Amino acid sequence: MLIAVASQNFRTVTGHAGKSRRFMVFDAAHGRAPQEVQRLDLPKEQSIHEFDESAPHPLDRFDAVIAGSAGAGFIARMAARGVQAVTTAETDPAAAVQAYVAGTLPPSAPHDHDDEEEGGCDCTCGKAG
């Protein structure tokens, strides 16, 4: 299976999946370590937050997308494209993929809006600050 991990620095799992443009791509299967096979560095207009939903997208070919955080909109958009979007507290991309395949991926921490400025958050979760 092919799994994309949001990683703006290509070293750690990144949050805000809808705005992510960089992804590490892993080929993964039960019983073997995931292998990084590609890196995506998409233009801003191809972030899911900015993207026209009616056109094909580079993330469409993956079985799953893993990120540190994702709003309900991102998760729904990916599901409509046949891609499972999951969030995790794991920061190591390869470890996140391995845990996902094993069914042991630790969930992300609850989304905290306490530190957001007045007017709410811009993470597309739909909650006010």
Side-chain angles (χ1 to χ4, degrees), residues 56-123:
H57 190 276
L59 294 178
D60 292 349
R61 67 187 180 100
F62 301 112
D63 297 291
V65 174
I66 298 172
S69 65
F74 177 83
I75 293 169
R77 284 175 132 182
M78 295 312 298
R81 301 177 94 72
V83 180
Q84 182 180 22
V86 294
T87 61
T88 185
E90 176 60 63
T91 59
D92 179 84
V97 170
Q98 191 161 12
Y100 173 80
V101 171
T104 60
L105 185 65
S108 61
H111 194 74
D112 183 10
H113 289 86
D114 292 340
D115 295 330
E116 303 297 334
E117 292 184 26
E118 188 174 329
C121 114
D122 67 352
C123 71

Side-chain angles (χ1 to χ4, degrees), residues 46-58:
Q46 285 204 324
S47 71
I48 292 295
H49 183 75
E50 301 285 331
F51 190 68
D52 173 13
E53 293 180 45
S54 65
H57 190 276

Side-chain angles (χ1 to χ4, degrees), residues 29-48:
H30 290 283
R32 69 171 169 82
Q35 300 295 311
E36 184 182 349
V37 295
Q38 182 182 5
R39 291 183 175 184
L40 297 178
D41 194 353
L42 305 173
K44 182 178 181 180
E45 58 273 4
Q46 285 204 324
S47 71
I48 292 295

Side-chain angles (χ1 to χ4, degrees), residues 5-10 12-17 20 22 66-69 91:
V5 179
S7 181
Q8 287 303 106
N9 61 11
F10 293 125
T12 59
V13 177
T14 299
H16 291 291
S20 291
R22 288 182 159 183
I66 298 172
S69 65
T91 59

